[in-house]
Each structure stands twice: as structure tokens, then as C-alpha cells.
């Protein structure tokens, strides 16, 4: 069972819509909306947040919020819970953070890494570390990669959100540090910033026990056009 | 007069009355510098508290306040929900299972409530928020209790009067927190609605003991 995610928004429609969007990229992750008040107005409800947290279960839960009082309601919910261990609030933009968190959770990341993935979307200079990142592994990128590969994007739309989610989600679950054209291969948002269109060559470098599998994983996805025309 | 569970029920009932009576006033204050939902939200929240009190009678003041916290956080909707909810929750925790509240315990409960509001909303004194009503109330209650007053009504009155003066003192302030802070200097000349509703709550505590 993966880490679960709860989305707290002032608007029921925003929460439901954000969950719908993220679920498309992370079909196995439990993502629950807690939007609007109990009677369907704009606002946030402690009762809805507590119910979602209770239902979420799993190996930890990451909570994403939209505006000020949603943050306060989420914090209040943690204060009400008897055992808030394993429930983490992420300080991240709702949609980008949610999608990044969902992809990380889909890849098997733990609760800390899922929050980190969400918070990594706050802006440049604050990119998330790959899920499963371990202390000391940061230094390996100065060493020669254990495996490399160059693959040309063949699908019409190139590296857009869904392919980026597939690549990042798969790489996050491998024991390897991977860069693609210099960005973290396990970061969906990092991959999307490449703006790589059809015909772009992806240069993949991988370090670690699963380096070869990682490069092979990217090759298979790219050459199949991510299953797209 | 003792501050027991009956007093707490009466206090919360008077809070609900006050929010209903001052609903339009709070809406008008909030329209000037916020999003004009404060009166409606507070009225709705305390009507829900009234409904809960109709379902079951709390056995201690702490239990009454904890129920109030949960209800406000679920029913108010706006920022006032988690702020007042946290205030009532922290006060309930400070009171514990005590059957009665003495002057010093009331001062402690108010301080815990104020600290909860500050922790949740990150506002400081002078930011033109409800904190500007609560902090003078905490100080006044503490001073009255430390003065050796065994007259619990006197401590309630001191807190309520200080909160009312604190709300009036928000008039010239420039908002630095919440929706009103978007207005910058244009927020001066208006009373903060959260400070006003805070004073109403502390005044209701007096009414319940009178």
C-alpha cells in the first residue's frame, strides 16, 4: 500500500478536480478530496478533513492545501487527531504539488519523500530530491555514470505531463540516481521544465545498483512513444 | 456564583444569541475590510453549537468548550473557524476535567486560547486582528486573578472590558494579517470584525455568570 494523499480546498470542485487530475497519473494511490464546507459552501471543514484522514490510512498521509484557512483547518485536524504521526502537511502549490506527490507515491516513495516531491514544486532552486535518495549519494554525480543512453522522442506531443509522470514514477521506485538532460529523472516537474518536444534527444545518465534498468526503462518508454501517436 | 458546566452551557447559549443579534453589524464591519462573511459565519457556527447542546449536556466546562471547538471548526467555514476552534480547544485542554473554574484557571484558559489563536494565525499584537482583543483580556484577567480576587465575576468583567477596549483600539490600526491586509493603509479607520466578535464572546461569559 502506498502513501495516501488528502486535498484540502475551499472549493469542493477544486478538491474534486485536483484529485481527478492526479489520479490519472497515479492510479494506485489513494487520493481523497476534502473541499468546501459541510453544506457545500466555499470554506473548509474540520469534519471533512478528519473523515478524509481517517479513510486515507496507508503508510502515512500527505496533506495538500490551497489558501490560508485551509492550512489552519489542516493544522487543527492534526491537533485533534490522537496519533498524528505519519500525517504530514506539505507547503506547496496545490495542483503542481499534488501531481508531483501523487507520482512520487505511485513510485513507492515514503511519506517524507512524497512531501518533499510536493514541496519541490514551489519554485526554481528548490527541486525535489529523487524519492529513495539516501545520504551521501549526492556525491556520485561527479563520478562517471554507471550507465548512459540517448533516445529520441518519437511521439507527437513529446515530454508532456503524462509521459513525465510515467518516467518519474518508474525511476523513483528504482535504486538509482538518474538525470535526463541534466534534470532529476525522478522529478516530474523537472522533466516538464525541459520542454522537450518530438525529435528531442534525451541524454540519460544513471548511477547506482539499478542504473542499467533505469536507462532501459526510459528507452522502452521513449521508443514506444509512451503509448501515444 | 460558580463557573461550572451549567455556566458554560449558558455562556455558549449567550454567545449564540450575541452572534445572531450582532450578525448584521459584523457583516458590515467585515464588508469594509474583508469579505463580509464574518457575521454570517459566526452566527451559523454558534447556531450549530446550540443544536449540539440540545442533543447532549456536557458534564464539565472543558467538555462544553471542546464540543464547541469541534463544531466551530466544522461549521464556520472561514478563517474564524479554525481560529476560534483552536481557541476553544486550547482553553478546554487548559481546564481539563475540572468541574469548576476559579479566577486563576479562567486567566490560564484565556491565555491558552490566545496562544492557540496566535499559533494558528501567526498574528501579533497591533496587526489589527482578534489578537488585539484577546491579549488585553488575558492581561486583565491575569492581573485581577493575581490580585487575589476570589470574585470570579470580577475576573470575567475585567477580561470582557479589556477585550471591548482592545476591539475599539483596532480602529486606527493598519491590518497586517488576513484579508484586510490587502487593503494596506485603507484598512485604518475600520474596526476589526474578529476583535469585535471576540469581545462579544467574552462579554457573554459575564452575562452567563450574572
Amino acid at each position: 500500500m502506498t502513501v495516501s494523499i488528502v486535498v484540502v480546498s475551499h472549493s469542493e470542485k477544486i478538491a474534486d478536480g485536483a484529485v481527478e487530475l492526479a489520479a490519472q497519473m497515479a492510479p494506485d494511490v489513494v487520493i481523497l478530496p476534502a473541499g468546501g464546507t459541510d453544506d457545500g459552501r466555499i470554506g473548509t471543514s474540520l469534519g471533512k478533513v478528519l473523515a478524509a484522514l481517517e479513510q486515507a490510512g496507508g503508510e502515512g498521509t500527505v496533506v495538500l492545501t490551497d489558501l490560508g484557512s485551509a492550512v489552519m483547518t489542516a493544522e487543527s485536524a492534526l491537533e485533534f487527531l490522537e496519533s498524528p504521526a505519519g500525517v504530514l502537511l506539505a507547503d506547496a502549490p496545490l495542483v503542481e504539488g499534488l501531481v508531483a506527490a501523487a507520482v512520487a507515491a505511485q513510485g513507492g516513495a515514503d511519506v517524507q519523500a512524497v512531501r518533499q516531491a510536493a514541496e519541490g514544486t514551489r519554485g526554481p532552486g528548490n527541486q525535489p530530491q529523487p524519492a529513495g535518495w539516501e545520504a551521501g549519494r549526492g556525491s556520485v554525480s561527479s563520478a562517471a555514470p554507471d550507465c548512459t543512453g540517448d533516445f529520441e522522442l518519437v511521439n507527437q506531443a513529446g515530454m508532456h505531463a503524462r509521459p513525465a509522470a510515467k518516467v518519474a514514477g518508474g525511476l523513483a521506485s528504482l535504486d538509482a540516481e538518474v538525470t535526463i538532460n541534466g534534470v532529476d529523472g525522478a522529478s516530474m516537474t523537472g522533466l516538464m521544465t525541459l520542454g522537450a518536444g518530438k525529435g528531442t534527444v534525451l541524454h540519460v545518465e544513471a548511477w547506482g545498483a539499478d542504473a542499467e534498468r533505469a536507462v532501459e526503462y526510459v528507452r522502452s518508454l521513449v521508443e514506444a512513444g509512451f503509448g501515444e501517436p | 456564583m460558580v463557573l461550572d458546566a451549567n455556566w458554560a452551557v449558558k455562556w455558549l447559549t449567550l454567545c449564540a444569541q450575541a452572534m445572531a443579534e450582532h450578525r448584521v453589524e459584523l457583516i458590515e464591519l467585515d464588508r469594509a475590510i474583508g469579505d463580509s462573511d464574518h457575521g454570517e459565519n459566526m452566527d451559523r457556527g454558534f447556531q450549530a453549537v446550540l443544536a449540539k447542546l440540545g442533543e447532549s449536556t456536557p458534564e464539565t466546562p472543558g467538555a462544553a468548550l471542546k464540543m464547541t471547538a469541534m463544531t466551530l471548526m466544522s461549521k464556520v467555514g472561514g478563517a474564524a473557524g479554525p481560529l476560534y476552534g483552536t481557541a476553544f480547544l486550547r482553553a478546554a485542554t487548559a481546564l481539563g476535567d475540572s468541574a469548576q473554574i476559579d479566577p486563576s484557571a479562567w486567566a490560564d484558559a484565556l491565555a491558552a486560547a490566545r496562544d492557540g489563536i496566535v499559533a494558528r494565525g501567526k498574528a501579533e499584537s497591533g496587526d489589527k486582528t482578534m489578537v488585539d482583543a484577546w491579549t488585553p483580556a488575558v492581561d486583565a484577567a491575569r492581573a485581577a486573578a493575581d490580585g487575589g480576587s476570589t470574585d470570579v465575576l470580577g475576573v470575567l468583567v475585567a477580561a470582557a472590558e479589556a477585550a471591548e477596549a482592545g476591539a475599539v483600539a483596532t480602529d486606527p490600526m493598519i491590518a497586517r494579517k488576513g484579508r484586510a491586509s490587502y487593503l494596506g493603509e485603507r484598512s485604518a479607520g475600520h474596526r476589526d470584525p474578529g476583535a469585535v466578535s471576540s469581545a462579544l464572546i467574552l462579554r457573554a461569559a459575564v452575562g452567563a455568570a450574572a
Side-chain angles (χ1 to χ4, degrees), chain B residues 168-188:
Chain B
V168 172
T170 65
D171 288 4
M173 291 178 185
I174 294 168
R176 289 196 293 257
K177 283 283 171 194
R179 196 76 59 102
S181 64
Y182 300 154
L183 294 175
E185 292 185 0
R186 280 182 292 142
S187 64

Side-chain angles (χ1 to χ4, degrees), chain A residues 10 37-39 41-48 50 69 72-73 75-77 79-80 82, chain B residues 40-41 44 66 69-70 73-79 82-83 86 89-90 119-122:
Chain A
H10 280 64
T37 64
D38 289 357
D39 50 358
R41 289 173 302 114
I42 294 292
T44 50
S45 157
L46 179 76
K48 280 195 176 190
L50 287 176
S69 68
M72 290 196 281
T73 298
E75 288 173 352
S76 303
E79 193 164 334
F80 255 99
E82 295 293 323
Chain B
E40 199 179 329
N41 285 345
R44 185 190 311 102
K66 186 166 184 188
M70 182 79 184
M73 284 197 217
S74 287
K75 298 297 180 193
V76 169
L83 289 170
T86 303
L89 181 61
R90 297 281 179 93
R120 193 108 302 145
K122 315 283 191 293

Side-chain angles (χ1 to χ4, degrees), chain A residues 9 16 42 68 77-78 87 98 109 116 121 128-129 131-132 135 152 167 169 171 198:
Chain A
S9 169
D16 290 349
I42 294 292
L78 295 201
V87 181
L98 172 62
Q116 205 169 42
T121 61
Q129 294 169 334
E152 183 179 335
V167 171
L171 293 180
K198 185 183 180 188

Side-chain angles (χ1 to χ4, degrees), chain A residues 26-183:
Chain A
D28 302 324
V29 180
V30 174
I31 312 173
L32 299 166
T37 64
D38 289 357
D39 50 358
R41 289 173 302 114
I42 294 292
T44 50
S45 157
L46 179 76
K48 280 195 176 190
V49 176
L50 287 176
L53 287 174
E54 197 169 310
Q55 199 190 333
E59 295 172 9
T61 304
V62 171
V63 182
L64 283 117
T65 52
D66 60 1
L67 305 167
S69 68
V71 180
M72 290 196 281
T73 298
E75 288 173 352
S76 303
L78 295 201
E79 193 164 334
F80 255 99
L81 283 177
E82 295 293 323
S83 54
V87 181
L88 300 181
L89 302 186
D91 179 10
L94 184 66
V95 174
E96 292 89 336
L98 172 62
V99 170
V103 169
Q106 178 75 27
D110 67 17
V111 67
Q112 296 281 355
V114 170
R115 174 169 70 173
Q116 205 169 42
E119 295 188 341
T121 61
R122 276 186 299 193
N126 199 6
Q127 288 298 317
Q129 294 169 334
W133 180 280
E134 288 156 24
R137 275 175 55 183
S139 58
V140 300
S141 48
S142 58
D146 297 320
C147 189
T148 64
D150 293 278
F151 314 110
E152 183 179 335
L153 290 171
V154 296
N155 61 313
Q156 290 295 340
M159 182 65 81
H160 61 98
R162 219 168 321 116
K166 280 185 182 170
V167 171
L171 293 180
S173 64
L174 294 177
D175 180 14
E177 187 196 344
V178 184
T179 64
I180 298 178
N181 291 5
V183 305

Side-chain angles (χ1 to χ4, degrees), chain A residues 3 15 17-18 20 35 45 54 67 71 87 108 118 128 136 138 145 154 160 165 178 187 192 209-210 213 217 222 228:
Chain A
V3 168
E20 187 184 16
S45 157
E54 197 169 310
L67 305 167
V71 180
V87 181
V154 296
H160 61 98
V178 184
S187 163
M192 289 176 68
D210 286 338
R213 284 178 62 196
Y217 176 73
V222 171
E228 298 175 0

Side-chain angles (χ1 to χ4, degrees), chain B residues 79-176:
Chain B
L83 289 170
Y84 278 123
T86 303
F88 278 99
L89 181 61
R90 297 281 179 93
T93 306
L95 294 173
D97 296 331
S98 308
Q100 293 186 11
I101 306 169
D102 65 20
S104 186
W106 179 247
D108 289 345
L110 290 184
R114 187 269 319 271
D115 292 349
I117 291 168
V118 169
R120 193 108 302 145
K122 315 283 191 293
E124 297 170 5
S125 290
D127 284 353
K128 198 183 184 88
T129 71
M130 59 173 74
V131 172
D132 293 310
W134 281 89
T135 292
V138 169
D139 294 344
R142 186 78 265 164
D146 286 353
S149 174
T150 51
D151 168 23
V152 75
L153 183 60
V155 180
L156 294 175
V157 169
E161 286 180 349
E164 285 160 356
V168 172
T170 65
D171 288 4
M173 291 178 185
I174 294 168
R176 289 196 293 257

